[in-house]
Amino acid sequence: MKTWLTVLAFCIVSLSAWGQDDLLSLLGDEEEVTNFATASFKTNRVINLHSLESTSAGVMDFKISHRFGTLNRGAYELFGLDNATMRLGLDFGITDRLTIGGGRSNFEKTYDTFIKYKFLRQSSGKRNMPVTAAFLATAAVQTLKWDNPDRENYFSSRLYYTYQLILGRKFSEGFSLQLSPTVVHRNLVKTSAESNDVIAVAAAGRIKLTKRLAINAEYIYVLPDQLASEYVNSFSLGFDIETGGHVFQLHFTNSTSMIEKGFIAETREKWLDGGIHFGFNVSRVFTVVKPKIE
Amino acid sequence: MKKTLFLAVIAILAASAANAQKYFTREGKVSFFSDAPMEKIEALNTKATSVWDTESGKIEFAILIKAFQFEKALMQEHFNENYMESDKYPKATFKGQVVDMKKLNLSKDGEYPVTVKGELDMHGVTKSIEAPGKIIVKGGAVKATSSFEAAVADYNIEIPSVVREKIAKTVRIDVDVDYAELKKQ
């Protein structure tokens, strides 16, 4: 009799196991996946600074950037709109982590190139990583006519380099923050009082207001006693507006130049004196190499 | 006597196990197409999980939204960030029933048209849907396909006016699954 009961019990248990409600649970625990943080910033620039984002593999990002004259030039120059410095640039995503790019600015007729590699990606789940980290190296060559053509001039005097570590985190859907310790190297400086190497720390953040609108800010602190006294720290405030394939970045900044050596080490205007440039970056992406979908 | 009983029980169990055949996959294909005047958008997910109980006809699917792959990286980003909000709603699930199980004979090769009814849960909204499907049995392998349409607005997915010409109001969803027998551990 006892055996009977045991067998019956076994029978019931095994049948009820088959009749489970949630079929998918029969497959056992789900394999945990690594969930990478995406879209910490809308594009690979915050305003002037590189953001922690890279250009996706196979994508070309065409950038048109303008900085108008300062607002304090008054109505005669339509608050700076009569003057514009501009940069045209192309960025390419070689892989999802490696981006290269270049551009040309009319400010000091400068050509620039950069390479950026994202070596850590913020993720949760199977693999946990609290931050995204990228390394940026840029080189720029200024091609103005020599100030003093009679003396012996060297091509190397035209060159500028920047090395930057970008550490950032998307804290929530709406808030991202990054810090970038930076070294700008100038082969030639105007006076011996200025350092060839300029060390700075940049901070930048984003707050998303709606799905397609974000507010960005960035501040670059240059460590003291490196630059001549006329130079100040760069501060910029702006909006990112996203419309399908374009990102429009509209901003106010006290920097004229759109490349590192310029906006980090050569910013002259002061916000409090109205030395503020209105400007924009327009980013348009094109898929050049289609990814393999499998 | 005891031995006979024991054998009988074993026989019953074996029979019920054979009846209660279940099929599963972890690599089901789910794709969607949006056909709007200015842009055609297509994405593929090859990591759909599904279990189908051929005794009761119950069928379930689960997919990770982030596993949809697009041709354009920016589209994929927007799909996750702006439309599906995949950090908030990481999964879409379907729980339902193959209605006409009686027409099926999985031990015989053939194409069996079926109807699937159930609840589709996506972007935090659950809707009852009914979709035509096909069960294809060939050389012992069981495959299921289905194609149905879903209205984007039904799932509380907002399409802003600037991209209204680029994203269809109704998208087509295709399901293509190769099932394998689920062995009881």
Side-chain angles (χ1 to χ4, degrees), chain A residues 141-215:
Chain A
V141 51
Q142 168 264 99
T143 64
L144 290 173
K145 285 186 180 134
W146 295 111
D147 280 346
N148 194 344
D150 298 333
R151 71 168 209 191
E152 198 177 349
N153 289 298
Y154 301 97
F155 177 74
S156 60
S157 308
R158 299 180 176 280
L159 298 175
Y160 301 84
Y161 304 95
T162 306
Y163 307 98
Q164 188 168 64
L165 182 68
I166 305 168
L167 292 168
R169 180 173 162 82
K170 187 179 189 180
F171 284 90
S172 69
E173 186 51 38
F175 179 59
S176 308
L177 194 66
Q178 66 170 45
L179 274 178
S180 323
T182 309
V183 180
V184 177
H185 176 81
R186 296 135 356 134
N187 272 351
L188 183 70
V189 289
K190 285 207 177 80
T191 64
S192 59
E194 288 191 73
S195 332
N196 289 88
D197 291 314
V198 178
I199 300 168
V201 179
R206 173 190 83 157
I207 295 169
K208 223 165 128 181
L209 300 176
T210 70
K211 281 178 190 164
R212 289 169 187 82
L213 179 68
I215 184 164

Side-chain angles (χ1 to χ4, degrees), chain A residues 47-293:
Chain A
I47 292 169
N48 287 315
L49 284 170
H50 271 269
S51 76
L52 56 83
E53 294 294 342
S54 34
T55 306
S56 301
V59 172
M60 179 179 81
D61 185 348
F62 178 42
K63 294 203 184 276
I64 307 165
S65 307
H66 278 66
R67 302 291 181 269
F68 295 102
T70 52
L71 298 183
N72 61 10
R73 295 202 192 181
Y76 181 65
E77 292 198 29
L78 197 60
F79 304 96
L81 292 186
D82 285 354
N83 288 285
T85 56
M86 55 170 286
R87 177 181 181 272
L88 292 176
L90 285 176
D91 297 351
F92 296 92
I94 306 297
T95 69
D96 282 340
R97 291 165 176 258
L98 181 67
T99 307
I100 60 164
R104 204 271 190 182
S105 306
N106 67 352
F107 182 71
E108 295 182 341
K109 303 189 188 301
T110 306
Y111 294 86
D112 66 276
T113 60
F114 76 86
I115 179 163
K116 181 156 96 172
Y117 185 71
K118 203 190 259 196
F119 58 94
L120 291 178
R121 290 183 293 173
Q122 183 186 338
S123 64
S124 57
K126 194 174 174 184
R127 187 170 154 276
N128 230 315
M129 178 54 63
V131 293
T132 295
F135 181 73
L136 171 78
T138 78
V141 51
Q142 168 264 99
T143 64
L144 290 173
K145 285 186 180 134
W146 295 111
D147 280 346
N148 194 344
D150 298 333
R151 71 168 209 191
E152 198 177 349
N153 289 298
Y154 301 97
F155 177 74
S156 60
S157 308
R158 299 180 176 280
L159 298 175
Y160 301 84
Y161 304 95
T162 306
Y163 307 98
Q164 188 168 64
L165 182 68
I166 305 168
L167 292 168
R169 180 173 162 82
K170 187 179 189 180
F171 284 90
S172 69
E173 186 51 38
F175 179 59
S176 308
L177 194 66
Q178 66 170 45
L179 274 178
S180 323
T182 309
V183 180
V184 177
H185 176 81
R186 296 135 356 134
N187 272 351
L188 183 70
V189 289
K190 285 207 177 80
T191 64
S192 59
E194 288 191 73
S195 332
N196 289 88
D197 291 314
V198 178
I199 300 168
V201 179
R206 173 190 83 157
I207 295 169
K208 223 165 128 181
L209 300 176
T210 70
K211 281 178 190 164
R212 289 169 187 82
L213 179 68
I215 184 164
N216 289 345
E218 63 179 45
Y219 179 71
I220 302 156
Y221 175 72
V222 179
L223 271 63
D225 304 324
Q226 301 183 92
L227 301 176
S229 59
E230 74 235 55
Y231 296 112
V232 299
N233 291 334
S234 171
F235 175 67
S236 316
L237 192 66
F239 291 95
D240 282 2
I241 302 162
E242 185 191 293
T243 63
H246 292 87
V247 177
F248 294 92
Q249 300 186 296
L250 308 177
H251 34 248
F252 294 97
T253 173
N254 59 337
S255 300
T256 310
S257 171
M258 287 156 270
I259 60 171
E260 281 71 18
K261 72 104 179 165
F263 65 80
I264 293 174
E266 295 164 8
T267 295
R268 278 170 215 270
E269 279 93 21
K270 296 191 177 84
W271 272 73
L272 293 178
D273 301 341
I276 304 165
H277 304 264
F278 172 64
F280 63 80
N281 305 340
V282 177
S283 153
R284 168 75 179 144
V285 294
F286 301 90
T287 302
V288 182
V289 183
K290 288 179 181 171
K292 262 195 200 137
I293 295 174

